[in-house]
Amino acid sequence: MKKSDLIWAICEIDEDLLRLTEENPVMKKRHTRPVRVLLIAAAIAALLAGTVLAYAIRHWDELFVESFQMEDSEKELLDGALQDVYAQTTQDGVTCTLKQVLGNERCLVVALEIQLPDTLETGTTSAEELSALAGELDLPKDPEESGSLDRKLSQYFGYDPEQTEFPDAPYLGVVGLFPVDMEKDDLLAAADARCSALDVPEAERSGVRDSIGAVIFDEAMKDYNSFGGGTIRRSYDPETRTLTALDYVESSGSLVNRPYTLVIDQLYLYSMLNFISPEDYPGAGGQELLTSPIVLNFTADYQPQSQTYDILQDGAVVGTLELSPVSAHLTFPQEPDDPNRLAPNRHDYLKDNGNLSVRMTDGQEIELRERSDGFTDVQFAFYIAGEIIDLSQVQEVCLGSYTLQLQTAEE
Amino acid sequence: MEDEKIIELYFARSETAIAETERKYNDYCTSIAYRILASFEDTEECVSDVYLNVWNTIPPTRPGSLKAFVGRITHNLALNRYRSRKAQKRSALTEVLEELDIPDLEEPGDVLERKELARQISVFLRTLPSMKQEIFLLRYYQYAPLSAIRQRTGLKEDRISTELYRMRKKLKHHLEQEGFAL
């Protein structure tokens, strides 16, 4: 038998297997017409905004309350930093609502709700099937260990691992939050034009979506030295078919008082079997729910709260710490003589690669989780707090085992 | 038009069947052929041959899936065209051949032996989770680049390469156990 018979034989494998590649061809046909935008400014926004707020404490979305373990006193403290948006759009029967934004100068957190269509057919997977696959994949058996079946089910979906049946659930990809005001029609048209201009054969183009990031970068991102984002919390209620997400963006530049475009282009419905299989992302087999991205526009218009400190070492300023009630940015300036090398004193601070913790005057210690890409070669480190930090009650700040020597920076 | 109706048109010997097949599957056939041939001219000629071939095969054949059927014919015609070309253009297939350590695409061997090999590959694929089946077929049937598989599956390219490596190793072991010496 010749080795190349393998290639010929693969073309003759059972038809049902070949159908696996049929549902969503890898090379999607290029979009030529942007889809009409359906952008609804929800009436509730008008009700909740401004003068209608007669309550002592206004409504905070549960995502914020649970993620930051908020007390009523903290809600009052942060009232100005919270913005009601309640912008809504529907795409392919999927309704996305941007409910509230909590922000400061360099970090912006959004509370999103995504409602799947009632008509969407879903199934369930039994606990036995999941356990069998977990065994086959050799997932960690300790329920507390990262990557274990229990952790995957409870952390992302909020499912109780003791359930006997696990409903199919959605997987939401990256929520893009970009400091630019582009309506969907314009965004897709620009992305389409960019895609067409690429010097690659049409058959090899994967579609207009890949170009959206490049278009936005050209429009708005060049002014930022660093711009990142991620997820704080996501959960899914199969009964109401509601996915909730708390996502954030952070930057070295100011994020307040500017328009934003929120873009979601990855939303799939997965069986739990498909979801637990890979380590990082759900595997193939998901049902794509969007034929066109969800795009929402809003303007960040909240009152940022933050306190900036100089970090001292031997009396000299070696960096800055910008602390807000929900996040922190640590910045170390580049060495002018060698921009690629970290300053020795910076190494001293960062070698523990530890999280940041804030000690309050009442003895309470609040942990902030490091969310930047790692320390070794970065100027900035970004942290999200596990609880609300009352800036007026900060006593000291520690990075790993180091207590930072701080002085309030001059405005 | 639904596939069943198109197939009925073939059986009724209506040339509309070809137009409908082309309308529905031209992009699909083009993408398969282009990945093998990396030439627009050759791809166009190959895809034209596909429709003639389908016309000559249905009837008597009644495919279960018209798309899979058309895709299979496109594969075979494009592979034959690739093999018979004097000057070889580097294509996605070339990469896959290198990955599978196949120095040259030769003429297909004995048909019965090849069908048994295909059956054993199917048996092997059925032992894999659907995600891995799909990765395997995207790479070794559709000759999709890793970037396209990443886009489809959401997996990182390193992870896809690792999965493909493991599957190649397992497939080799499976085929050797079944008496194939590749």
Side-chain angles (χ1 to χ4, degrees):
Chain A
M1 168 148 291
K2 290 169 283 192
K3 213 165 179 181
S4 65
D5 276 351
L6 199 59
I7 291 289
W8 295 99
I10 289 172
C11 296
E12 294 184 31
I13 62 169
D14 295 347
E15 193 176 283
D16 63 308
L17 288 165
L18 292 184
R19 285 184 187 183
L20 276 175
T21 60
E22 284 180 17
E23 289 175 4
N24 300 298
V26 168
M27 291 178 293
K28 291 168 186 156
K29 193 174 178 183
R30 188 164 58 93
H31 291 277
T32 51
R33 284 172 300 182
V35 179
R36 193 169 65 87
V37 179
L38 182 62
L39 183 63
I40 304 162
I44 197 166
L47 287 173
L48 288 171
T51 55
V52 182
L53 299 171
Y55 303 100
I57 300 169
R58 67 171 157 161
H59 171 74
W60 279 72
D61 192 88
E62 280 305 302
L63 285 166
F64 289 121
V65 177
E66 289 173 11
S67 300
F68 297 117
Q69 302 178 43
M70 294 182 81
E71 307 282 346
D72 281 353
S73 59
E74 291 165 335
K75 291 178 186 173
E76 280 183 88
L77 184 75
L78 274 179
D79 188 68
L82 182 75
Q83 180 187 348
D84 294 313
V85 181
Y86 294 97
Q88 192 177 74
T89 188
T90 300
Q91 173 67 48
D92 297 304
V94 175
T95 301
C96 175
T97 309
L98 171 56
K99 298 195 289 184
Q100 292 181 312
V101 169
L102 175 64
N104 58 57
E105 201 62 43
R106 312 221 285 184
C107 171
L108 189 153
V109 187
V110 294
L112 284 175
E113 184 178 283
I114 293 173
Q115 178 75 51
L116 304 190
D118 291 338
T119 50
L120 185 66
E121 287 185 20
T122 60
T124 59
T125 307
S126 71
E128 288 79 15
E129 285 177 283
L130 285 177
S131 299
L133 182 59
E136 187 187 316
L137 295 171
D138 205 18
L139 297 183
K141 291 186 176 52
D142 181 351
E144 295 302 313
E145 199 173 326
S146 173
S148 71
L149 178 59
D150 285 20
R151 288 267 290 216
K152 281 171 185 272
L153 292 171
S154 57
Q155 274 193 334
Y156 183 77
F157 300 105
Y159 286 170
D160 177 359
E162 298 299 315
Q163 287 172 225
T164 54
E165 292 286 340
F166 294 87
D168 297 349
Y171 168 77
L172 173 64
V174 174
V175 174
L177 272 167
F178 306 106
V180 61
D181 185 15
M182 282 192 89
E183 297 230 341
K184 183 172 177 178
D185 283 342
D186 299 333
L187 182 58
L188 292 187
D192 190 39
R194 192 180 175 97
C195 189
S196 304
L198 292 176
D199 189 21
V200 293
E202 188 164 351
E204 287 292 330
R205 293 178 198 159
S206 55
V208 72
R209 289 179 180 183
D210 282 355
S211 298
I212 287 178
V215 167
I216 285 178
F217 182 85
D218 287 349
E219 286 287 330
M221 307 304 286
K222 285 178 177 170
D223 297 337
Y224 290 87
N225 289 329
S226 86
F227 200 94
T231 295
I232 297 173
R233 183 190 183 97
R234 282 183 184 172
S235 62
Y236 176 63
D237 179 352
E239 284 197 6
T240 59
R241 298 184 169 212
T242 307
L243 169 73
T244 49
L246 201 61
D247 280 56
Y248 68 90
V249 287
E250 57 91 13
S251 172
S252 56
S254 175
L255 296 177
V256 75
N257 292 328
R258 30 181 99 234
Y260 282 85
T261 301
L262 181 148
V263 182
I264 292 172
D265 69 353
Q266 283 190 312
L267 183 67
Y268 301 93
L269 182 75
Y270 280 93
S271 122
M272 286 299 98
L273 279 178
N274 287 117
F275 190 84
I276 67 162
S277 179
E279 288 160 18
D280 302 317
Y281 295 97
Q287 178 186 349
E288 195 165 6
L289 300 180
L290 299 176
T291 58
S292 176
I294 286 171
V295 179
L296 275 174
N297 302 97
F298 69 101
T299 298
D301 182 23
Y302 49 80
Q303 305 299 316
Q305 294 180 23
S306 62
Q307 177 66 58
T308 305
Y309 300 95
D310 288 330
I311 302 171
L312 304 176
Q313 189 177 51
D314 302 327
V317 175
V318 294
T320 58
L321 170 71
E322 194 168 324
L323 200 59
S324 91
V326 294
S327 65
H329 262 92
L330 205 55
T331 308
F332 289 93
Q334 293 280 30
E335 289 295 282
D337 57 335
D338 183 0
N340 295 317
R341 191 173 65 84
L342 291 168
N345 50 23
R346 199 179 316 163
H347 260 311
D348 287 344
Y349 282 124
L350 301 179
K351 68 182 181 185
D352 278 0
N353 198 16
N355 283 335
L356 211 62
S357 59
V358 178
R359 287 199 192 111
M360 312 301 283
T361 48
D362 63 1
Q364 184 194 5
E365 188 166 310
I366 297 175
E367 291 281 335
L368 293 94
R369 288 189 62 190
E370 201 264 324
R371 294 281 189 150
S372 45
D373 288 331
F375 278 126
T376 322
D377 295 307
V378 298
Q379 265 184 292
F380 308 104
F382 171 71
Y383 304 83
I384 292 268
E387 296 175 54
I388 297 297
I389 301 166
D390 181 347
L391 297 177
S392 66
Q393 302 299 315
V394 173
Q395 188 170 52
E396 60 183 20
V397 180
C398 297
L399 176 64
S401 59
Y402 287 84
T403 300
L404 300 178
Q405 303 300 310
L406 301 174
Q407 73 176 16
T408 305
E410 290 176 16
E411 292 296 323
Chain B
M1 186 180 286
E2 288 174 6
D3 284 358
E4 290 74 18
K5 285 184 182 162
I6 300 175
I7 291 168
E8 286 311 320
L9 287 173
Y10 277 109
F11 272 85
R13 307 314 289 160
S14 163
E15 288 181 16
T16 312
I18 296 177
E20 286 297 324
T21 308
E22 183 180 7
R23 192 184 60 77
K24 201 166 176 184
Y25 294 123
N26 193 62
D27 284 357
Y28 178 62
C29 296
T30 301
S31 66
I32 292 172
Y34 186 83
R35 282 195 172 152
I36 294 169
L37 299 166
S39 149
F40 283 119
E41 199 182 340
D42 283 353
T43 296
E44 203 172 320
E45 287 175 14
C46 175
V47 172
S48 294
D49 290 348
V50 168
Y51 302 125
L52 184 63
N53 215 292
V54 174
W55 175 258
N56 288 334
T57 323
I58 311 175
T61 306
R62 185 179 284 275
S65 159
L66 182 61
K67 188 171 185 181
F69 185 75
V70 169
R72 236 194 260 270
I73 289 177
T74 311
H75 259 94
N76 279 302
L77 292 178
L79 287 173
N80 272 314
R81 189 175 280 264
Y82 177 95
R83 197 175 52 76
S84 62
R85 272 194 318 210
K86 285 184 181 133
Q88 212 51 269
K89 258 185 121 171
R90 188 170 175 81
S91 69
L93 171 67
T94 320
E95 271 182 38
V96 167
L97 290 173
E98 286 169 3
E99 193 171 302
L100 293 171
D101 199 21
I102 297 172
D104 199 13
L105 182 68
E106 296 178 67
E107 197 179 346
D110 177 71
V111 66
L112 288 178
E113 206 173 9
R114 199 174 70 244
K115 285 205 178 297
E116 176 56 18
L117 179 61
R119 195 179 73 80
Q120 285 303 333
I121 295 170
S122 299
V123 168
F124 166 74
L125 285 173
R126 289 187 198 288
T127 65
L128 303 175
S130 60
M131 176 196 69
K132 292 186 185 179
Q133 289 175 352
E134 191 171 5
I135 291 174
F136 183 96
L137 291 169
L138 288 171
R139 183 64 175 159
Y140 300 128
Y141 178 66
Q142 287 204 356
Y143 315 123
L146 296 185
S147 56
I149 302 176
R150 172 176 58 78
Q151 198 184 19
R152 170 79 167 255
T153 63
L155 296 175
K156 292 172 186 164
E157 290 184 23
D158 284 354
R159 173 88 193 281
I160 295 165
S161 297
T162 308
E163 293 293 354
L164 287 169
Y165 170 75
R166 287 178 184 157
M167 283 189 278
R168 288 199 303 270
K169 216 169 142 185
K170 280 185 184 171
L171 175 62
K172 186 169 186 285
H173 179 68
H174 173 82
L175 293 177
E176 280 170 356
Q177 277 193 325
E178 296 300 325
F180 288 98
L182 288 168

